Amino acid sequence: MNFNSYSLTKMTKDDKDTTYDLFFGPNHPGMHGNFGYVLDMVGTEINSVKPNAGQLHRGFEKLMEQRGWVQNLTLVPRICVMDPDPNEVAYCMAVEKIMNVEIPERAKYLRTITLEMSRLTSHLISIGGAGASLGLYTPMYWSMADRDRVLDMFEWLTGGRVYHIYNIPGGVRRDAPRGFFKKLNETLDYLESRIPEYDRVLFENPIIHKRLKGLGFVSKEDARKTGLSGPNLRASGNVIDIRKDAPYAAYPYLDFDVITQTGGDAFARAVQIRKEYKQTLDIIRQCIKQIPEGEVHASLGNLGMLKVTPGEAYAKVESSKGEFGYYIVSDGGLKPYRVSVRGPSLPAGFLWAQKHLPKMKIDDVAVWMGTLGICPPDFDK
């Protein structure tokens, strides 16, 4: 007997004994953090979804209002663990706007290099995760091993592998060590040599095409209306990138185009990440070639006792997930008066979960979430 979930749904629509709740997260391997969806299920089909961020509450914004300006740099990377550096840079840029501080040219390039290195690590997780969510585990093993090479470079530059705390108000903590750029170029060459293998095993795989095409469609207009940003926005055909539209750090000096797709579905989002990954390698090479000599941070005195002049500012950056923006208010004291963070995950993880997940099969949830680039700590800040 063909007992598929759709016929089961019709037969048991009003029978409460045949429906059940399924907890997707926080310990499900397809969920990236202590966040969860409570799925109302009939068979393998989702009837309705209730996002549950209760186990994730960290209160980053209120914690930042109780700590010194520089102390907060240990908090902000945790808002998106997979791509932490954009939070550092956006926070520092807001502080620098209030203080009317211009950072040195060399620091701008070092910031851009770390931002793009962080983008590489995040995109590698996304590429590998798309495969693992569909049972293609080889690309995930590859991507995590390749990611470790970038983390090795972060460790050499900053002393940390996952959280770097490298950006500070006024620039960066220290200059790149001798030989760093040469080794970084070698790492980029290696990562680029791996792309054909990812294409062969993952992006040219008929499983990916069958499972992702048509999944989680977002139109060009809806992507903008609902506040999607980053690769999600561009995968629906919107030519929008903060690095181009409101350039910061060294991006005004770099030559790159805004990549877009027109499909608007999970496959288009996966291809968007793949193409932006290659573009990131080129951007870092430009930075290495152009970086000037000079200081790496402006003199702001004892940062541990930093007092930011009264004022308010909003600064935004283009992370691998989309727009991260920091609105900061200073009353002239040793800590922020107010902090509010605008992250990219809320529209995708809350609004589009309500639109996409009902009638979806349970085996598509992990890959749907992965292609939308959802970063759970961003939900409940």
Side-chain angles (χ1 to χ4, degrees):
M1 180 181 294
N2 182 14
F3 221 48
N4 63 61
S5 63
Y6 292 99
S7 60
L8 185 63
T9 301
K10 296 175 183 178
M11 292 168 58
T12 62
K13 186 175 182 180
D14 300 318
D15 186 351
K16 294 181 180 179
D17 293 332
T18 57
T19 63
Y20 61 96
D21 284 342
L22 181 66
F23 293 84
F24 188 87
N27 58 348
H28 189 285
M31 178 64 68
H32 329 296
N34 295 327
F35 169 78
Y37 291 117
V38 181
L39 306 174
D40 181 56
M41 303 288 300
V42 175
T44 61
E45 184 182 297
I46 301 168
N47 262 350
S48 62
V49 57
K50 291 179 289 187
N52 177 19
Q55 296 192 12
L56 186 66
H57 185 66
R58 302 175 183 180
F60 290 113
E61 292 169 329
K62 299 311 291 182
L63 285 172
M64 280 188 269
E65 294 167 10
Q66 306 301 318
R67 286 162 172 74
W69 292 98
V70 176
Q71 286 178 309
N72 286 330
L73 291 172
T74 63
L75 285 175
V76 295
R78 289 160 172 81
I79 295 178
C80 189
V81 182
M82 293 177 284
D83 190 12
D85 293 72
N87 285 279
E88 294 181 21
V89 173
Y91 174 81
C92 290
M93 284 171 56
V95 174
E96 289 155 3
K97 277 188 177 182
I98 297 174
M99 299 183 71
N100 196 26
V101 170
E102 180 73 16
I103 71 172
E105 292 295 298
R106 186 172 178 85
K108 293 179 181 179
Y109 278 89
L110 288 170
R111 275 190 180 178
T112 305
I113 289 171
T114 55
L115 284 169
E116 296 299 316
M117 287 171 60
S118 185
R119 188 186 305 274
L120 285 178
T121 64
S122 178
H123 282 349
L124 281 167
I125 291 177
S126 298
I127 291 170
S133 299
L134 299 176
L136 302 171
Y137 291 102
T138 297
M140 188 66 188
Y141 300 146
W142 287 352
S143 68
M144 294 307 290
D146 290 348
R147 178 174 176 266
D148 264 351
R149 292 176 179 256
V150 185
L151 297 186
D152 288 343
M153 299 306 300
F154 265 124
E155 186 176 16
W156 190 12
L157 177 64
T158 71
R161 294 181 68 81
V162 178
Y163 301 128
H164 311 124
I165 316 171
Y166 180 64
N167 297 277
I168 58 174
V172 297
R173 276 196 288 123
R174 58 171 175 253
D175 205 345
R178 182 178 300 175
F180 177 80
F181 295 128
K182 179 177 182 295
K183 181 63 176 177
L184 181 56
N185 260 324
E186 293 173 358
T187 302
L188 299 177
D189 291 341
Y190 168 79
L191 294 175
E192 186 165 12
S193 73
R194 302 282 289 136
I195 292 177
E197 285 292 294
Y198 285 107
D199 288 345
R200 181 178 62 83
V201 175
L202 189 63
F203 293 100
E204 296 172 7
N205 193 313
I207 294 174
I208 292 290
H209 289 252
K210 184 175 181 180
R211 292 287 301 278
L212 295 191
K213 286 184 176 178
L215 179 69
F217 173 75
V218 181
S219 71
K220 182 176 181 179
E221 294 74 20
D222 285 344
R224 298 186 67 164
K225 289 179 181 177
T226 56
L228 290 181
S229 58
N232 293 332
L233 193 60
R234 293 188 286 275
S236 292
N238 293 284
V239 188
I240 297 175
D241 190 318
I242 298 171
R243 296 173 296 177
K244 281 286 192 181
D245 301 333
Y248 53 94
Y251 290 112
Y253 315 134
L254 303 177
D255 180 23
F256 64 97
D257 297 321
V258 179
I259 298 171
T260 62
Q261 308 299 311
T262 57
D265 57 6
F267 183 75
R269 292 190 288 272
V271 172
Q272 180 73 22
I273 292 296
R274 151 67 179 85
K275 291 189 175 182
E276 289 194 10
Y277 175 76
K278 170 61 169 64
Q279 183 185 60
T280 295
L281 300 174
D282 297 334
I283 289 175
I284 298 176
R285 288 193 180 104
Q286 286 187 57
C287 289
I288 294 173
K289 186 176 181 180
Q290 298 178 18
I291 187 169
E293 297 295 329
E295 298 294 327
V296 298
H297 56 78
S299 179
L300 299 180
N302 182 359
L303 292 180
M305 297 299 293
L306 179 67
K307 287 187 177 182
V308 175
T309 51
E312 58 185 305
Y314 179 77
K316 59 184 179 180
V317 301
E318 182 76 33
S319 80
S320 66
K321 311 294 182 185
E323 178 182 336
F324 261 110
Y326 277 68
Y327 174 68
I328 297 178
V329 180
S330 172
D331 61 0
L334 292 168
K335 55 190 178 184
Y337 177 71
R338 286 289 183 269
V339 179
S340 181
V341 182
R342 190 274 189 212
S345 298
L346 203 61
F350 274 35
L351 175 61
W352 282 103
Q354 305 291 340
K355 292 177 176 291
H356 283 161
L357 294 184
K359 304 305 178 184
M360 188 181 286
K361 296 293 190 71
I362 183 61
D363 40 325
D364 288 329
V365 176
V367 70
W368 166 84
M369 190 177 69
T371 61
L372 278 168
I374 294 171
C375 199
D378 179 28
F379 291 137
D380 197 356
K381 300 177 288 294

